[in-house]
């Protein structure tokens, strides 16, 4: 009898541990499937690796000090190729197609598919002038296999403006010189003509050739090109780009707004099913999240009334933060 009681005690203990483990697992699932409407919170997952060449230009300090981007982890590293930025992510959940939800996993660091290469416009123009651009880009593609190259060029707009100004000035000077030479011939002066001094400068590629190189980068090399005005604009652009990269996994999970196309309207079978489908049209709301919302707010009006009762914006933004995700084995 004593042995039987001990076995029953052990069985109750085992069942209790199983219930606690299941409760903990469900809590983790709820946590990783919370509605992620705040980009800053999503940015906590992102690691931005900046090469030492760029970090010396105060780029890292700016990102770390900016409240919009300091949620991200900013690291510096040494690389044979100068002026590059790459991204990694702290992954704590993976998407389950069967459950249509994120499932928690042990944290791992995963490389993102983008690599950014920074060029000052003078460096970029020199590559074109020396006919080294394609060789340089091909070397980057070989180094970063299966990565999407982002080419950031700083100062091109200002460079174009200066070049056009110089072209107009040269044209004006040439016209003036032609008029002066014509007047001298008419006067039949005996003054010995002096030779016009040529400007001593390195010939740069014309703007049409530069634009052709941009087309080659986009169409043939499959690069994304970003132009910035100055270093401050460059840093801000990198911050915005990092934020967008952070949201990619969630954009791919029912996050893009579905535009109406004839013959492809999602029709509900009843009021509850229609409300379920309506919620899924909202960015970052998957089917399990929508079911959790409906479990508390079964109609549009009930959710509307709940929002009306919120006294502050913060209260409204956190209204759905504690919604329990309801998993289903059919999407």
């Amino acid at each position: 009898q004593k042995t039987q009681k001990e076995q029953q005690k052990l069985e109750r203990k085992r069942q209790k541990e199983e219930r606690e483990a299941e409760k903990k697992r469900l809590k983790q699932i709820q946590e990783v499937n919370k509605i992620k409407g705040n980009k800053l919170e999503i940015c906590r997952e992102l690691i931005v690796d900046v090469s030492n060449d760029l970090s010396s230009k105060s780029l890292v300090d700016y990102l770390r000090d900016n409240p919009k981007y300091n949620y991200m982890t900013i690291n510096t590293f040494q690389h044979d190729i100068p002026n590059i930025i790459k991204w990694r992510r702290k992954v704590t959940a993976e998407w389950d197609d069967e459950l249509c939800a994120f499932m928690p996993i042990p944290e791992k660091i995963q490389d993102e598919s983008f690599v950014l290469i920074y060029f000052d416009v003078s460096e970029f123009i020199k590559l074109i002038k020396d006919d080294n651009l394609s060789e340089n880009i091909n070397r980057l593609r070989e180094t970063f296999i299966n990565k999407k190259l982002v080419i950031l060029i700083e100062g091109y707009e200002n460079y174009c403006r200066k070049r056009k100004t110089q072209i107009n000035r040269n044209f004006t000077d040439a016209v003036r010189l032609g008029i002066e030479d014509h007047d001298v011939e008419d006067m039949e002066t005996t003054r010995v003509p002096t030779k016009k001094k040529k400007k001593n400068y390195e010939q740069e590629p014309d703007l049409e050739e530069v634009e052709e190189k941009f087309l080659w980068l986009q169409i043939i090399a499959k690069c994304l090109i970003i132009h910035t005005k100055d270093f401050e604009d460059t840093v801000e652009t990198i911050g915005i780009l990092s934020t967008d990269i952070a949201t990619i996994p969630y954009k791919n999970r029912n996050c893009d707004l579905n535009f109406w196309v004839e013959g492809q309207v999602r029709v509900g079978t009843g009021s509850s099913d229609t409300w379920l489908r309506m919620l899924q049209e909202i960015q970052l709301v998957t089917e399990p999240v929508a079911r959790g919302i409906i479990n508390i707010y079964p109609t549009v009006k009930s959710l509307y009334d709940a929002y009306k009762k919120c006294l502050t914006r913060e209260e409204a933004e956190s209204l759905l933060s504690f919604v329990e995700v309801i998993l289903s084995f059919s999407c």
Side-chain angles (χ1 to χ4, degrees), residues 33-277:
N33 282 280
K34 278 184 177 178
I35 298 176
K36 295 179 173 65
N38 190 336
K39 279 188 176 183
L40 298 182
E41 289 297 324
I42 296 175
C43 285
R44 293 185 187 276
E45 302 175 0
L46 203 65
I47 302 171
V48 184
D49 295 321
V50 182
S51 65
N52 291 333
D53 318 81
L54 284 177
S55 63
S56 63
K57 299 180 181 180
S58 303
L59 186 148
V60 171
D61 293 336
Y62 180 92
L63 290 175
R64 285 175 177 166
D65 296 338
N66 192 315
K68 292 189 294 183
Y69 310 124
N70 61 11
Y71 284 76
M72 298 179 284
T73 303
I74 315 294
N75 291 335
T76 59
F77 72 105
Q78 183 64 39
H79 200 280
D80 294 337
I81 298 176
N83 299 333
I84 68 170
I85 295 177
K86 55 190 183 72
W87 292 268
R88 293 177 293 158
R89 184 184 302 274
K90 304 169 190 173
V91 180
T92 57
E94 288 184 343
W95 182 258
D96 189 308
D97 288 325
E98 185 179 4
L99 297 176
C100 289
F102 287 100
M103 301 302 291
I105 61 171
E107 182 176 309
K108 64 179 181 178
I109 305 299
Q110 180 176 296
D111 288 339
E112 290 295 307
S113 59
F114 296 91
V115 173
L116 182 143
I117 301 92
Y118 165 89
F119 287 100
D120 181 86
V121 67
S122 58
E123 300 170 2
F124 187 79
I125 295 299
K126 189 175 187 305
L127 285 174
I128 297 176
K129 185 185 68 177
D130 296 341
D131 199 23
N132 289 332
L133 180 63
S134 58
E135 179 183 344
N136 188 276
I137 296 299
N138 288 332
R139 182 164 65 94
L140 289 171
R141 294 169 67 186
E142 292 172 1
T143 304
F144 302 108
I145 300 174
N146 299 326
K147 298 286 186 181
K148 298 174 183 176
L149 298 185
V150 181
I151 308 298
L152 189 148
I153 303 169
E154 180 185 305
Y156 180 66
E157 183 180 342
N158 189 44
Y159 171 82
C160 285
R161 186 165 55 251
K162 287 182 178 179
R163 283 293 306 274
K164 289 176 181 178
T165 300
Q166 185 62 46
I167 291 171
N168 291 336
R169 185 179 292 122
N170 291 344
F171 177 77
T172 303
D173 290 344
V175 171
R176 286 175 178 170
L177 183 63
I179 294 174
E180 289 173 0
D181 289 346
H182 182 74
D183 290 343
V184 168
E185 290 175 2
D186 286 347
M187 293 172 61
E188 295 182 352
T189 60
T190 58
R191 186 176 59 186
V192 178
T194 56
K195 292 184 178 179
K196 183 178 67 173
K197 293 182 179 179
K198 294 183 178 180
K199 291 183 180 179
N200 184 20
Y201 65 91
E202 294 182 354
Q203 186 66 35
E204 294 186 349
D206 57 42
L207 296 180
E208 287 186 5
E209 182 180 354
V210 177
E211 293 294 336
E212 287 176 0
K213 294 300 182 182
F214 286 150
L215 286 175
W216 178 85
L217 283 171
Q218 292 174 299
I219 298 173
I220 306 300
K222 306 296 183 184
C223 298
L224 172 65
I225 300 176
I226 299 177
H227 293 290
T228 58
K229 295 183 294 185
D230 49 34
F231 188 71
E232 184 176 343
D233 186 32
T234 294
V235 179
E236 184 68 20
T237 300
I238 291 171
I240 294 171
L241 180 62
S242 299
T243 303
D244 288 341
I245 290 173
T247 62
I248 286 176
Y250 308 102
K251 287 181 178 177
N252 292 339
R253 306 301 177 190
N254 195 41
C255 295
D256 293 327
L257 294 178
N258 296 319
F259 294 97
W260 181 84
V261 180
E262 186 176 359
Q264 297 182 5
V265 182
R266 303 175 68 193
V267 181
T269 56
S271 58
S272 296
D273 189 45
T274 300
W275 177 218
L276 176 69
R277 294 174 182 272

Side-chain angles (χ1 to χ4, degrees), residues 35 275-276 278-280 282 285 289-310 315-323:
I35 298 176
W275 177 218
L276 176 69
M278 286 171 62
L279 286 169
Q280 291 179 72
I282 300 172
V285 177
V289 173
R291 291 186 183 279
I293 295 173
I294 288 177
N295 191 44
I296 303 174
Y297 306 105
T299 64
V300 179
K301 189 176 186 306
S302 62
L303 181 58
Y304 173 74
D305 290 340
Y307 273 117
K308 281 187 69 176
K309 291 177 183 178
C310 295
E315 185 181 353
E317 288 178 348
S318 61
L319 179 65
L320 300 177
S321 59
F322 301 103
V323 168

